Each structure stands twice: as structure tokens, then as C-alpha cells.
Amino acid sequence: MSEPNNGQELSPKDNRLLAPKGAQARYTGELLLRTRPKTYRAIVRALAEPNASVNGIARGYRVSNHTVMGIREREAVEIAERKKQLVSILADVATLGSERMVETIGKAGLRDAAIGTGIAVDKMLALTGQAPSLQIANIWMPSEEEREERRQAHARLDAIAAKLRELPPPDRA
């Protein structure tokens, strides 16, 4: 039997949480549902959020990643329904916000309406799996050796330009 750090034997309840050698433990969140039902429900709600991460939820509610993944698997139908509900609500907010923008063009509330509409549209797109398009720029930074080569080439070109300025203009007769 395994022993915790304080030297006391594990109870049979604790011992069943340890997987036998070579076997995988099965996390379903059932224990959390029985002992901390409010936390369990909060995790289900958090899993329905657009940018929910298992690690972030696990840290926030002080449970293991495996427990969060077990709850996600166990409550997949409810989470999907919650996401649909959120998409509907956010679509309504986006519609109302865009209508408000049309009404308030030129007034002080436009900025606030535009921000709210943008947030609602972003969340709606994230929930439906349609990420907004991103433009990525890869910027190549030259090394110090390449910069030195460039400086030398510029100096040679400057020298050629200086010599050309010293020559008399060609005769155009």
C-alpha cells in the first residue's frame, strides 16, 4: 500500500484513486460533482466559453487537467447546447450593436457601440469556429556581418556617385 508524506496509510477511498501499475486512471469528474457541485457546474460553464483552455480552467478551480477533460467529455452535450445558446445571444448583441451604430453615427456613443459590436462579433466567430483572418508579417533581421557588407556596398556606390559628379557634363551638340 502507498503512503503519503505524513506517514499515514491511504484510506481505501484515496487508494482507489491510484491507478494500478500499467493501467490508466479514469477521470470523469464524478467525485467533484458529489463533493463540490458548484465548482463542477462552474467548470461546465467555463468549458462553454469561446477561448476556454483546460489548463486555465484547472488552475482557476484548483482541479487537475484530467478532471477538467473528464468533465468536458461527460458533459459534451450540455456544453454544446450552452455554446449554441451563447452564439445566439452574441448574434443578437452584434445585431443590436450594429443597429445602434447606424443610429448613433456622429454621436458620442458610437465608439462604445463599435467596441461592443466588435467584441460580440469576435466571440460569436470564436464560438462557431470561424476565426477572424489574421495577417502575419515575417520580418527578416540581418546579422551584424550582413549589415557591414551592406555598409561597404553603400560606401562603394557613394564613391562611384561622387566620381560621376566630378566629371564634366557630356557635350550635346
Side-chain angles (χ1 to χ4, degrees):
M1 200 176 252
S2 298
E3 294 186 32
N5 290 338
N6 64 6
Q8 296 176 353
E9 280 190 359
L10 290 172
S11 70
K13 178 183 172 187
D14 294 333
N15 207 18
R16 72 184 160 92
L17 297 176
L18 299 173
K21 209 171 195 173
Q24 287 286 331
R26 180 79 174 130
Y27 294 88
T28 63
E30 185 177 344
L31 182 62
L32 184 65
L33 178 59
R34 282 185 287 159
T35 58
R36 296 164 49 197
K38 288 181 182 177
T39 301
Y40 183 92
R41 288 279 127 222
I43 290 172
V44 171
R45 282 191 305 274
L47 283 167
E49 290 297 319
N51 297 316
S53 78
V54 171
N55 289 336
I57 293 170
R59 274 192 309 267
Y61 291 100
R62 297 180 181 246
V63 297
S64 73
N65 290 353
H66 297 291
T67 300
V68 175
M69 290 185 289
I71 293 170
R72 181 178 62 192
E73 186 178 312
R74 182 179 176 150
E75 301 289 341
V77 172
E78 185 178 333
I79 291 168
E81 288 173 3
R82 176 74 177 144
K83 283 187 177 187
K84 285 180 189 174
Q85 181 185 19
L86 287 174
V87 166
S88 175
I89 291 168
L90 292 172
D92 291 344
V93 169
T95 303
L96 291 172
S98 61
E99 289 171 0
R100 173 96 169 109
M101 283 176 57
V102 170
E103 293 171 7
T104 60
I105 294 279
K107 296 179 184 173
L110 175 63
R111 183 183 70 92
D112 295 334
I115 292 169
T117 302
I119 291 169
V121 169
D122 267 357
K123 297 238 182 246
M124 185 182 67
L125 290 174
L127 280 170
T128 58
Q130 303 172 21
S133 64
L134 299 175
Q135 294 182 355
I136 299 173
N138 291 323
I139 301 173
W140 172 75
M141 299 298 290
S143 67
E144 192 54 44
E145 294 169 351
E146 292 167 325
R147 286 190 194 119
E148 186 56 37
E149 285 177 26
R150 210 176 270 164
R151 283 186 207 111
Q152 290 173 3
H154 284 254
R156 288 191 301 268
L157 289 171
D158 288 343
I160 291 170
K163 285 182 185 178
L164 289 174
R165 280 191 293 265
E166 292 172 3
L167 293 175
D171 265 342
R172 297 197 184 213

